[in-house]
Amino acid sequence: MEKEDLKVLNKGEEEEMELQGYRLCRWRLALVGFGVLCTGGFLLLLLYWMPQWCVKSTCTRTTARDAEVVLLRSTDEFRRWFLARVRMMLAPGSNPFHSLETQTTSPSSPSCPSSSPHLANGHNPHPSDGSPAQELIRRFGDYQPTQIRYFTFHSTKYYWNDGAQNFDVLNGLDDLQVSCSTLHLQHSTGLTRNQQEYRRLFFGVNEIAVKVPSVFKLLIKEVLNPFYIFQLFSVILWSADEYYYYAVAILFMSVISIATSLYTIKKQYIMLHDMVATHSIVRVSVCRANNEIEEILSTDLVPGDVMVIPSNGTIMPCDAVLVSGTCIVNESMLTGESVPVTKTNLPNPLPGEDGEEADRAYNTEEHKRHTLFCGTHVIQTRFYTGDLVKAVVVSTGFSTAKGQLVRSILYPKPTDFKLYRDAYLFLLCLVAVAGIGFVYSIVLSVMNKVPAKTIIIESLDIITITVPPALPAAMTAGIVYAQRRLKRLGIFCISPQRINICGQINLVCFDKTGTLTEDGLDLWGVQRVENGSFHLSEANAYKENLVKSQFVACMATCHSLTKIEGQLSGDPLDLKMFEAIGWILEEATEEETSLHNRIMPTVVRPPKQLLPPEPAASPEQDMELYELTSAYEIGIVRQFPFSSALQRMCVVARLLGEKRMDAYMKGAPEVVASICKKETVPENFAEILEGYTKQGFRVIALAHRRLESKLSWHKVQNINRDHIEANMEFLGLIIMQNKLKPETPAVLQDLYRASIRTVMVTGDNMLTAISVARDCGMIPPKDTVIIADALPPHDGQAAKITWRYADKAIKTSLLEDVTVSLEDVCHVDEPKTKELYHFAMNGKSFAVISEHFPDMLQKLVLHGTVFARMAPDQKTQLIEALQGVDYFVGMCGDGANDCGALKRAHGGISLSELEASVASPFTSKTPNISCVPSLIKEGRAALITSFCVFKFMALYSIIQYISVTLLYSILSNLGDFQFLFIDIAIILLIVFTMSLNPSWKELVSRRPPSGLISGPLLFSVLTQILVCLGFQTITFLWVRQQPWYTVWTPLTDVCNPSVYMNVSDHNDTEVDDHNIQNYENTSLFYVSSFQYLVVAIVFSKGKPFRQPSYKNWPFMLSALSLYVFLLFIMFHPIKGIDEFLEIVCVPIEWKIQLFLIILVNAVVSVFMETFILDIILWKLVFSRDKQSSFGITPVAPTPQGVIDLGAYKCLSRLCCPSRITPKARYMHLAQELSVDPDWPPKPTTTTEAKSRPENGSTYQITINS
């Protein structure tokens, strides 16, 4: 039963979940209710924190079909649990796409939106008077009402599907897998009102509703956090023990912390709500099935509605596919790219057509050049008279692209980071220590016959001491300060928890264009082709003799430029190309378009000064006719926009006065040449192209074809792209120069020195990318580049990879590679020579290798440096592949087509002018990659700060725990104001100032450890605990051995033994119930107060990740002030302070001895941390875990790093006599490959995939004959 009814939702997707069905059980509910009463509500809290326990304790298992409650569990590494209530609704049918026709005349449908409160997704802004379902059922009397089961999870509705016997999400028209021709044929006429209402029952209101929760709701959610519950328990306990001041102080801190948290969360919700709500509800025109145009609210739209796009533009309220007309759209909200994009109508292929534009199923990703996305701004439209610009609604609400983005912000994945996992383990250890103290205090109290109430309170008090109440606030302080410093550097962050993770980054992927290189391209030159051979290259095409050539005509027409408010706008490459020929572009106005019976073309013409002088007109010649014949204009009739999948764009144009039309194409040279007639492509084409790409130029090829005279204007508007893009004539090459940004080489050099690998992921040509990688220093000049060309299986042959070297290396360099990852740790002084190499591949090869050589992919990403012609989803797959071998991956891109990769990387940083991009956790206003080292440095500083704070807070708990445990043995304790002074004056002040150290000024070649459970950190904490325990115990025992020692009473005065007090003066002295005032308490109070300050200074590390502590003046000022104050009250007692802190007077000799104890304690603590740990153990562990990139020679260690290399080598040999297997998978792979004689593959080899059913894909290397 358990296994067979375990359903999987969203199979293969990011949100994949397992589902189990449950039915409520009354007797279990009653039993749980009784348990809640018995535990005073604590059981209810436990069930709130553990949804799986809640469901299993109150319900019984049943099938998913009959479930009243579903228990969901994510299938990712976090395995989180969720529960959802299954609800019912009545509808006239079970499939929203079924047609509901009726002959009865129905009253006009109400204008209010669909769903009633009990069946909507909970955010209906205009509730209707009666249930729409009931109204529809009454209207369609012939239909049997259907009961539909559904549940809502993360703003998505899951409906029960009888056919699949599972719950499914209704996304929209995508669910139908409808072909392009069917979309034109069946879905372009619009829906009736009844159909629209029926669909709205299922799809709900078209609204991305970000509800801003009330302060009360947020407060309850925040207060029910386990930590605040623990604090509440502590406050009640301290009040019972009469520690009122301390309880009030902690309560005050908690209230401040909760209020700050509530303010931040509420502010984020309001920001997101405002961002989403902008123009989300507008009035739109829709086409009805009877050819009427009706104006409705955008919230009423459903998939299948046909929306009319207004000519003056609009903000799209849904995702829709264009079926007629053209739109110019600004998609910066989704992509961060502010360049307007031209969207054309979806092609309408004839049945039976094949080729690239065959009648495929409509897909939002594949047909995004025809899709208008929700939230994007339609700037202007082009249309035919009588044929409006129409778009079929594909998806609404949270199913849209914008909705998915908002959902990813509303319901983020938890941050998986070793630090946070270790923090919980560490807290558990502290709880275990508290448990020992708990048992100890009970045993001790029972033996001393202490009253039961006191036993309970004091035993529980031990637990509250061990887990520090200020820990969460202390841990977030460092991140908040880092976020503030990043903001000053122009880096904005929407996910602060990721700052710590950025400290671990050891590989950064860079987009090329706009990131490593300048955004714009400069025209370097052109190289025309005539009669199948190349001319010499020319600096430009702005020449009289070329003005009427097909080459210049192609440059003038083959682009997606448009005029917005009189300014030419569009792709930067198109803009540079058009500006280089100096032509003029004119677009038809709305008035002109409406006068004609067909679309008015965009017209381009050369400047008059380039045209040859025409003969003067004779007086009898008609002036208008003369102007018509002398004018040279080209009209762009149809545009097939650039497709990254096809790697080309094409236009159909007509020269004024000509009957036949021309097709012009531009695109990737390899693609364009393959479409041209063989005889028109020069024989040395590949050689010339390679020459340019090796120099790092961006090369675009042009082609032309004269179309048949039978192709009329109307036929061209509906023709398939494949008919146009065939048998073309090759015109030549445009060579564009993409200059490196001046900051790029220096930043990459910094990352190289810090042993951080750099990888280029681009949509550009392979050889251009390799050349740019060499120019910017990503690939050193002497290193070998191996290109992996993979071919998919065809004609019964297996998939194969051919290895070739990109270019001959200047000289085969055998650089010394001393990365410990490749050699045995114990032989670091015997460097192994290893040839340095880099792999390069294109997107097609990457796809083949991912599918047919999955085990080979891991080896390739280990040395892969250039990934060219990569599609956006392939960039994301590459990030996943790198993370799969345990790299911490950073990604830097311009946000245009890198959204997925930026979100998937551990630290994604978008170069955008927007203050916060939803596409990326980090956004930099600085338009170059100098933000990357800054982010990593701040990440490292924040991570080390987190370690310092955590270690300090752990020591603070343990020091206080030791003091209290020692005092319990004499039935004493610390006083209320002593606790208050330690926690507020010392701990809070120190914690919030020790986090202020800024990052170190340069990146070093080692990373901080990723978790708390690591050798050096545990050694550091344990040694300091032992030191503090030792000195407190010595103090406690030594004070009792003093000759002046006696049990303290209010009459005792050991400071001045000659004076005898008058007993009568102290008759009204308050009796000390808690036995606070005694010599042991005073001595331990002084020693422990200094111990807090000593460990704070010892743990507050500076180099190599943070600036030294002496530069952090608030911290130094706080520490020095506390030292001075404590020494002052110790050697110069003030009656008021002594009474306040409940400390007693001790002889001056004992004060000097205490001072010596404190001094020796400080020296031992500093010695253990600085000399033993930092110089010996820290270096050793770092060398073991050295995160060096492979194929990169690490920089020489700094003089400070080589304090005692001989001793270090000896110790390393002692500590690791045998070969160590590295933890990270990429290190393990590097170790294996370093002894593999067949790696790297030689240029004469081919690797073939051999499929074995039992082992999956394997491969075999064969030598080419």
Side-chain angles (χ1 to χ4, degrees):
M1 167 91 178
E2 288 278 326
K3 284 288 175 198
E4 69 182 21
D5 208 48
L6 189 75
K7 304 289 183 187
V8 178
L9 301 182
N10 310 320
K11 200 173 178 75
E13 294 175 34
E14 198 177 345
E15 279 198 1
E16 187 178 273
M17 292 179 293
E18 293 167 354
L19 177 145
Q20 297 170 27
Y22 284 86
R23 188 186 286 278
L24 283 167
C25 173
R26 286 183 181 176
W27 68 264
R28 287 192 181 200
L29 270 170
L31 207 62
V32 167
F34 179 70
V36 169
L37 285 172
C38 293
T39 56
F42 181 71
L43 180 62
L44 197 63
L45 269 176
L46 204 61
L47 297 182
Y48 169 77
W49 295 328
M50 301 285 195
Q52 69 275 29
W53 292 5
C54 178
V55 172
K56 288 175 181 177
S57 60
T58 56
C59 306
T60 51
R61 274 300 294 271
T62 182
T63 59
R65 183 195 173 94
D66 303 321
E68 292 174 7
V69 176
V70 289
L71 185 61
L72 305 164
R73 193 180 194 187
S74 63
T75 56
D76 56 17
E77 67 271 30
F78 305 106
R79 305 289 284 161
R80 292 170 297 157
W81 293 93
F82 307 95
L83 65 90
R85 288 290 303 271
V86 176
R87 303 183 184 279
M88 299 273 195
M89 78 170 183
L90 287 174
S94 60
N95 189 325
F97 298 111
H98 283 172
S99 175
L100 290 181
E101 293 303 328
T102 179
Q103 303 305 314
T104 59
T105 54
S106 60
S108 172
S109 64
S111 61
C112 58
S114 67
S115 315
S116 66
H118 74 276
L119 51 89
N121 48 10
H123 39 253
N124 185 0
H126 318 283
S128 53
D129 298 329
S131 157
Q134 298 299 331
E135 279 182 33
L136 271 175
I137 290 161
R138 276 203 303 276
R139 209 174 290 167
F140 293 90
D142 300 341
Y143 287 85
Q144 183 67 35
T146 311
Q147 258 197 0
I148 292 163
R149 307 168 68 83
Y150 73 96
F151 67 88
T152 307
F153 174 70
H154 283 182
S155 302
T156 304
K157 276 188 179 180
Y158 291 82
Y159 289 94
W160 177 254
N161 181 334
D162 261 333
Q165 285 292 299
N166 200 353
F167 284 94
D168 275 346
V169 182
L170 290 176
N171 290 312
L173 283 189
D174 277 1
D175 298 335
L176 289 178
Q177 294 284 301
V178 60
S179 67
C180 296
S181 59
T182 311
L183 214 146
H184 275 278
L185 192 67
Q186 294 176 10
H187 295 274
S188 58
T189 51
L191 303 174
T192 64
R193 286 177 190 158
N194 287 336
Q195 281 176 320
Q196 189 196 39
E197 280 189 27
Y198 173 55
R199 286 191 185 181
R200 219 182 310 135
L201 287 176
F202 291 88
F203 293 104
V205 180
N206 173 33
E207 189 181 19
I208 301 167
V210 177
K211 280 184 163 179
V212 179
S214 66
V215 174
F216 179 73
K217 260 190 179 177
L218 285 174
L219 180 68
I220 294 298
K221 197 174 177 185
E222 189 70 17
V223 167
L224 292 182
N225 180 309
F227 200 83
Y228 288 122
I229 296 294
F230 178 74
Q231 282 193 332
L232 181 68
F233 161 74
S234 304
V235 166
I236 293 166
L237 187 71
W238 293 326
S239 302
D241 205 15
E242 296 171 16
Y243 285 118
Y244 298 120
Y245 294 105
Y246 186 57
V248 168
I250 292 297
L251 195 63
F252 178 71
M253 269 171 51
S254 300
V255 167
I256 297 267
S257 173
I258 290 169
T260 312
S261 183
L262 286 189
Y263 172 75
T264 311
I265 295 167
K266 182 94 174 170
K267 191 178 163 190
Q268 284 175 344
Y269 267 112
I270 291 168
M271 268 177 63
L272 189 60
H273 177 268
D274 292 349
M275 184 186 86
V276 172
T278 316
H279 308 294
S280 66
I281 301 176
V282 289
R283 295 199 76 80
V284 291
S285 298
V286 291
C287 299
R288 290 284 170 233
N290 51 6
N291 289 329
E292 280 179 31
I293 302 287
E294 186 186 350
E295 200 173 81
I296 61 168
L297 278 173
S298 58
T299 47
D300 292 350
L301 288 171
V302 294
D305 264 330
V306 175
M307 182 181 164
V308 177
I309 313 291
S311 56
N312 59 344
T314 183
I315 301 274
M316 286 301 294
C318 58
D319 285 358
V321 59
L322 268 176
V323 285
S324 67
T326 307
C327 292
I328 290 147
V329 186
N330 183 336
E331 293 190 325
S332 59
M333 180 267 154
L334 279 183
T335 62
E337 183 72 72
S338 56
V339 174
V341 184
T342 303
K343 302 277 186 172
T344 57
N345 58 319
L346 187 74
N348 186 8
L350 299 167
E353 280 189 359
D354 52 5
E356 277 162 344
E357 289 232 359
D359 197 7
R360 291 194 297 261
Y362 168 76
N363 176 283
T364 313
E365 187 56 42
E366 200 177 319
H367 296 97
K368 65 180 176 189
R369 281 287 179 179
H370 314 291
T371 306
L372 303 170
F373 292 103
C374 179
T376 59
H377 183 198
V378 177
I379 301 165
Q380 62 187 50
T381 62
R382 310 263 175 79
F383 56 93
Y384 298 93
T385 307
D387 191 5
L388 301 166
V389 178
K390 294 178 188 172
V392 178
V393 177
V394 177
S395 51
T396 57
F398 278 101
S399 299
T400 61
K402 182 181 176 182
Q404 295 292 353
L405 264 179
V406 173
R407 279 182 71 236
S408 69
I409 298 168
L410 278 174
Y411 312 107
K413 265 190 168 185
T415 313
D416 178 38
F417 191 39
K418 202 165 179 287
L419 171 69
Y420 304 124
R421 292 203 304 272
D422 288 357
Y424 286 116
L425 277 173
F426 219 92
L427 277 174
L428 282 174
C429 293
L430 290 179
V431 170
V433 170
I436 297 165
F438 179 77
V439 174
Y440 162 79
S441 67
I442 289 175
V443 171
L444 203 69
S445 301
V446 169
M447 283 166 67
N448 287 295
K449 297 181 179 168
V450 174
K453 182 193 169 189
T454 314
I455 293 177
I456 292 164
I457 289 172
E458 292 195 342
S459 307
L460 292 173
D461 197 22
I462 281 274
I463 295 170
T464 65
I465 286 166
T466 319
V467 181
L471 186 63
M475 289 292 281
T476 52
I479 294 171
V480 170
Y481 296 146
Q483 195 174 358
R484 202 180 297 163
R485 287 194 296 269
L486 285 171
K487 199 169 183 177
R488 283 202 292 270
L489 294 169
I491 300 169
F492 299 91
C493 171
I494 60 167
S495 179
Q497 293 299 328
R498 293 224 188 190
I499 296 174
N500 269 343
I501 301 175
C502 289
Q504 282 295 307
I505 285 173
N506 57 352
L507 183 147
V508 186
C509 295
F510 292 98
D511 182 31
K512 183 179 79 71
T513 312
T515 304
L516 296 172
T517 60
E518 297 286 357
D519 227 337
L521 294 154
D522 297 316
L523 185 78
W524 180 85
V526 297
Q527 191 150 7
R528 294 181 298 119
V529 166
E530 268 183 33
N531 304 323
S533 61
F534 279 112
H535 282 255
L536 290 171
S537 62
E538 298 156 276
N540 61 49
Y542 187 78
K543 295 176 183 173
E544 278 187 33
N545 63 326
L546 292 181
V547 74
K548 292 190 176 182
S549 67
Q550 296 291 7
F551 189 88
V552 169
C554 187
M555 287 176 76
T557 56
C558 199
H559 53 70
S560 57
L561 299 177
T562 185
K563 274 198 170 173
I564 296 169
E565 294 172 2
Q567 287 288 312
L568 265 184
S569 181
D571 187 277
L573 185 145
D574 288 350
L575 213 52
K576 280 280 184 217
M577 182 181 77
F578 191 75
E579 284 169 357
I581 54 171
W583 281 41
I584 298 147
L585 179 136
E586 285 182 359
E587 287 182 329
T589 61
E590 271 183 60
E591 293 76 28
E592 286 176 315
T593 311
S594 57
L595 288 171
H596 293 264
N597 205 21
R598 55 178 171 240
I599 197 164
M600 276 292 284
T602 298
V603 171
V604 290
R605 62 165 183 270
K608 283 184 179 168
Q609 61 265 34
L610 278 184
L611 288 169
E614 296 287 339
S618 55
E620 65 273 8
Q621 199 172 355
D622 183 356
M623 201 65 199
E624 264 191 51
L625 192 67
Y626 166 74
E627 279 179 10
L628 194 67
T629 53
S630 66
Y632 184 80
E633 289 183 351
I634 303 174
I636 301 166
V637 179
R638 174 126 193 241
Q639 188 188 92
F640 298 98
F642 177 79
S643 157
S644 50
L646 301 176
Q647 294 180 10
R648 62 178 183 266
M649 81 163 288
C650 178
V651 293
V652 175
R654 181 159 73 177
L655 182 65
L656 187 70
E658 285 279 330
K659 284 189 176 177
R660 288 171 73 176
M661 297 188 201
D662 296 274
Y664 295 104
M665 187 207 292
K666 80 168 196 297
E670 310 92 333
V671 174
V672 172
S674 67
I675 291 169
C676 291
K677 295 175 189 168
K678 286 277 194 302
E679 62 272 18
T680 65
V681 181
E683 286 178 10
N684 60 342
F685 163 76
E687 194 182 313
I688 295 281
L689 175 64
E690 194 169 327
Y692 285 125
T693 52
K694 273 185 184 176
Q695 293 173 63
F697 291 116
R698 174 97 179 260
V699 185
I700 308 290
L702 306 182
H704 159 259
R705 176 183 157 205
R706 200 78 193 270
L707 296 178
E708 303 83 12
S709 52
K710 66 178 182 182
L711 278 177
S712 67
W713 196 303
H714 278 297
K715 279 184 181 172
V716 164
Q717 297 306 325
N718 298 308
I719 197 165
N720 188 327
R721 187 169 183 161
D722 289 346
H723 288 305
I724 303 288
E725 295 174 344
N727 296 318
M728 304 200 82
E729 291 176 13
F730 194 75
L731 291 178
L733 305 171
I734 298 175
I735 299 103
M736 314 287 280
Q737 193 171 18
N738 196 192
K739 291 175 185 166
L740 276 177
K741 287 184 179 176
E743 302 82 5
T744 298
V747 170
L748 293 178
Q749 190 61 30
D750 284 350
L751 295 173
Y752 170 86
R753 280 199 210 99
S755 297
I756 294 170
R757 253 188 77 187
T758 51
V759 171
M760 187 191 293
V761 194
T762 177
D764 207 344
N765 173 285
M766 166 86 77
L767 294 172
T768 304
I770 292 171
S771 167
V772 170
R774 283 202 185 282
D775 290 348
C776 66
M778 201 176 270
I779 299 175
K782 294 180 181 178
D783 289 7
T784 307
V785 178
I786 305 168
I787 295 178
D789 280 328
L791 293 170
H794 64 98
D795 302 334
Q797 290 187 329
K800 61 180 181 180
I801 308 170
T802 308
W803 310 96
R804 61 187 176 91
Y805 282 30
D807 47 11
K808 298 285 183 289
I810 301 161
K811 184 186 174 193
T812 307
S813 95
L814 292 170
L815 297 179
E816 286 190 347
D817 189 318
V818 293
T819 52
V820 183
S821 42
L822 294 179
E823 292 92 32
D824 184 4
V825 181
C826 291
H827 298 104
V828 286
D829 51 338
E830 302 157 21
K832 176 183 171 183
T833 55
K834 185 82 180 169
E835 187 181 333
L836 301 184
Y837 57 92
H838 304 258
F839 286 111
M841 68 187 81
N842 61 24
K844 286 179 181 172
S845 297
F846 180 79
V848 173
I849 292 167
S850 300
E851 188 179 346
H852 299 284
F853 302 87
D855 38 2
M856 172 76 80
L857 183 67
Q858 291 197 343
K859 296 180 181 181
L860 289 177
V861 296
L862 202 66
H863 287 266
T865 303
V866 175
F867 295 85
R869 296 276 187 238
M870 295 284 275
D873 61 322
Q874 288 179 325
K875 291 184 180 184
T876 311
Q877 287 164 20
L878 174 65
I879 299 285
E880 287 171 347
L882 290 163
Q883 287 171 338
V885 290
D886 296 342
Y887 274 113
F888 279 86
V889 185
M891 170 77 197
C892 183
D894 55 11
N897 52 4
D898 308 320
C899 296
L902 287 167
K903 284 168 77 176
R904 187 54 54 89
H906 290 110
I909 183 160
S910 165
L911 307 182
S912 168
E913 287 178 14
L914 300 169
E915 189 161 302
S917 165
V918 286
S920 165
F922 299 95
T923 308
S924 170
K925 274 194 168 179
T926 314
N928 59 60
I929 63 167
S930 61
C931 56
V932 175
S934 303
L935 179 63
I936 296 173
K937 280 188 285 190
E938 287 300 342
R940 287 179 173 188
L943 187 55
I944 286 295
T945 299
S946 294
F947 287 140
C948 293
V949 168
F950 204 93
K951 284 160 66 178
F952 175 67
M953 293 303 280
L955 256 293
Y956 145 62
S957 304
I958 297 294
I959 290 169
Q960 204 168 71
Y961 170 75
I962 294 166
S963 304
V964 170
T965 310
L966 288 169
L967 290 172
Y968 271 13
S969 68
I970 58 162
L971 302 182
S972 178
N973 201 347
L974 288 172
D976 197 356
F977 287 105
Q978 288 176 342
F979 274 126
L980 205 60
F981 174 76
I982 291 167
D983 285 25
I984 309 296
I986 300 181
I987 304 305
L988 283 191
L989 197 61
I990 291 295
V991 154
F992 289 116
T993 55
M994 82 188 294
S995 304
L996 284 167
N997 291 37
S999 60
W1000 185 244
K1001 52 186 178 287
E1002 60 190 40
L1003 276 175
V1004 293
S1005 63
R1006 66 187 202 200
R1007 292 187 296 146
S1010 59
L1012 287 161
I1013 313 296
S1014 65
L1017 290 171
L1018 285 176
F1019 177 84
S1020 168
V1021 170
L1022 291 172
T1023 49
Q1024 295 303 328
I1025 287 173
L1026 291 172
V1027 169
C1028 293
L1029 174 65
F1031 282 97
Q1032 278 201 50
T1033 309
I1034 288 165
T1035 307
F1036 181 75
L1037 297 173
W1038 200 2
V1039 72
R1040 299 171 73 108
Q1041 304 303 317
Q1042 297 304 309
W1044 49 263
Y1045 177 82
T1046 177
V1047 175
W1048 188 88
T1049 66
L1051 307 178
T1052 317
D1053 185 3
V1054 292
C1055 296
N1056 197 358
S1058 60
V1059 177
Y1060 288 92
M1061 287 187 162
N1062 190 344
V1063 179
S1064 62
D1065 291 346
H1066 291 274
N1067 286 341
D1068 59 343
T1069 306
E1070 196 177 309
V1071 179
D1072 185 5
D1073 289 337
H1074 290 281
N1075 186 22
I1076 303 298
Q1077 290 175 303
N1078 53 58
Y1079 300 119
E1080 292 90 342
N1081 171 294
T1082 300
S1083 304
L1084 286 179
F1085 172 72
Y1086 282 132
V1087 171
S1088 65
S1089 294
F1090 279 104
Q1091 282 182 339
Y1092 298 126
L1093 295 173
V1094 167
V1095 293
I1097 288 166
V1098 161
F1099 286 159
S1100 192
K1101 295 279 173 65
K1103 276 184 72 176
F1105 305 116
R1106 303 197 307 166
Q1107 294 283 357
S1109 291
Y1110 60 79
K1111 288 192 177 180
N1112 178 357
W1113 65 264
F1115 173 68
M1116 292 311 291
L1117 191 66
S1118 305
L1120 282 171
S1121 304
L1122 285 164
Y1123 268 123
V1124 170
F1125 175 75
L1126 285 166
L1127 286 169
F1128 179 75
I1129 64 166
M1130 191 163 113
F1131 286 105
H1132 192 280
I1134 295 166
K1135 192 179 179 188
I1137 295 175
D1138 284 4
E1139 284 177 2
F1140 179 76
L1141 290 174
E1142 297 179 83
I1143 49 182
V1144 297
C1145 188
V1146 290
I1148 189 72
E1149 311 88 65
W1150 178 240
K1151 287 177 182 177
I1152 292 164
Q1153 286 171 332
L1154 276 181
F1155 181 68
L1156 288 171
I1157 289 171
I1158 290 158
L1159 211 59
V1160 175
N1161 184 345
V1163 169
V1164 173
S1165 287
V1166 170
F1167 175 78
M1168 294 306 287
E1169 187 75 12
T1170 309
F1171 292 92
I1172 303 290
L1173 181 74
D1174 284 2
I1175 290 173
I1176 303 169
L1177 290 175
W1178 191 268
K1179 294 281 189 293
L1180 172 67
V1181 174
F1182 257 119
S1183 70
R1184 281 181 52 188
D1185 195 29
K1186 197 160 187 174
Q1187 308 296 339
S1188 182
S1189 6
F1190 302 101
I1192 293 178
T1193 310
V1195 288
T1198 54
Q1200 296 95 329
V1202 198
I1203 293 169
D1204 191 355
L1205 197 60
Y1208 155 62
K1209 283 180 183 175
C1210 294
L1211 187 65
S1212 69
R1213 282 197 175 92
L1214 284 170
C1215 294
C1216 60
S1218 58
R1219 193 175 178 84
I1220 289 164
T1221 305
K1223 288 177 188 172
R1225 284 176 68 190
Y1226 68 88
M1227 289 179 162
H1228 189 67
L1229 270 170
Q1231 234 179 36
E1232 284 179 7
L1233 294 178
S1234 66
V1235 293
D1236 186 345
D1238 296 324
W1239 195 264
K1242 304 293 180 287
T1244 52
T1245 59
T1246 300
T1247 305
E1248 284 188 7
K1250 297 235 171 185
S1251 192
R1252 287 187 190 167
E1254 68 275 12
N1255 295 341
S1257 170
T1258 58
Y1259 51 85
Q1260 173 189 345
I1261 295 180
T1262 53
I1263 306 295
N1264 282 341
S1265 53

